[in-house]
Amino acid sequence: MKKIVETIGFLVFLQGVGGLLYEWTGWFRLWTLVRRIDFLSDRMLFVNIVLIVAGAAVMIAADAIKS
């Protein structure tokens, strides 16, 4: 269970980083799922930062899980 939570946190973190790279450079457009959601299109920078923080928090919280 711990590895699954760590993997999910890592994937969320990667989505945030990929979204920021897409915003700044135009690369990684295939990675970013946030840009495909219409109502988030005007807040993409904020959402990607939240994804990075949430992914890091989930990875850190995964250490509390006893397997």
Side-chain angles (χ1 to χ4, degrees), residues 5 8 14 16 18 21 24 31-32 36 38 41 46 50-51 62 65:
V5 173
I8 290 171
L14 277 181
L21 286 174
W24 292 333
W31 281 17
T32 57
R36 292 187 170 101
D38 291 335
S41 63
F46 175 72
V50 169
L51 283 175
I65 298 175

Side-chain angles (χ1 to χ4, degrees), residues 39-64:
F39 66 91
L40 294 177
S41 63
D42 56 342
R43 298 177 195 91
M44 282 189 13
L45 184 66
F46 175 72
V47 171
N48 289 321
I49 292 170
V50 169
L51 283 175
I52 289 172
V53 171
V58 169
M59 287 188 289
I60 291 170
D63 290 336

Side-chain angles (χ1 to χ4, degrees), residues 4-25:
I4 293 171
V5 173
E6 285 177 344
T7 303
I8 290 171
F10 184 69
L11 290 174
V12 170
F13 182 81
L14 277 181
Q15 281 296 313
V17 170
L20 283 181
L21 286 174
Y22 176 73
E23 282 292 313
W24 292 333
T25 65

